[in-house]
Amino acid sequence: MIYCEGGLDMDDEEESWVGSLVAIGALFGGPLAGNVMGLIGRRGTMIASCLMFAASFLFLVVADNIWTIYVGRLATGLCAGMSSLVCPVYVSETASPKIR
């Protein structure tokens, strides 16, 4: 267990979950982005992803228990997975081949 003054006491299992929830969220972010791109377009999906990133970081900043950190980390991973799919698609569709 790591003790952090003014922070949360987490055991090894909780620390492991905090570290792995980003990757788990990213696993589901790509397929979610594919569906959302079909509904609101590439630009709308990028904007939605940015807003979700801001909300997930806000969750992490105001976290007062481990479950809030879990939600923030999972949402951060979800947004990272979405961004990793939608940003290259958007750039490839908007930039001319000469610039790409």
Side-chain angles (χ1 to χ4, degrees):
M1 178 182 301
I2 296 176
Y3 176 74
C4 177
E5 187 174 331
L8 299 174
D9 291 330
M10 292 188 285
D11 59 21
D12 290 339
E13 183 178 354
E14 290 169 335
E15 289 174 2
S16 177
W17 275 109
V18 168
S20 61
L21 279 172
V22 172
I24 293 170
L27 179 69
F28 295 103
L32 177 65
N35 292 330
V36 174
M37 279 193 309
L39 295 173
I40 63 174
R42 278 80 167 134
R43 185 173 182 218
T45 304
M46 284 182 19
I47 292 169
S49 176
C50 290
L51 293 174
M52 288 174 28
F53 257 129
S56 67
F57 290 140
L58 186 61
F59 260 80
L60 293 171
V61 168
V62 300
D64 61 347
N65 60 42
I66 192 66
W67 289 101
T68 309
I69 293 176
Y70 287 166
V71 169
R73 294 286 286 181
L74 186 66
T76 301
L78 191 70
C79 296
M82 289 178 67
S83 296
S84 67
L85 177 76
V86 72
C87 290
V89 171
Y90 181 79
V91 168
S92 70
E93 290 180 353
T94 57
S96 67
K98 181 179 174 184
I99 295 174
R100 275 188 266 150

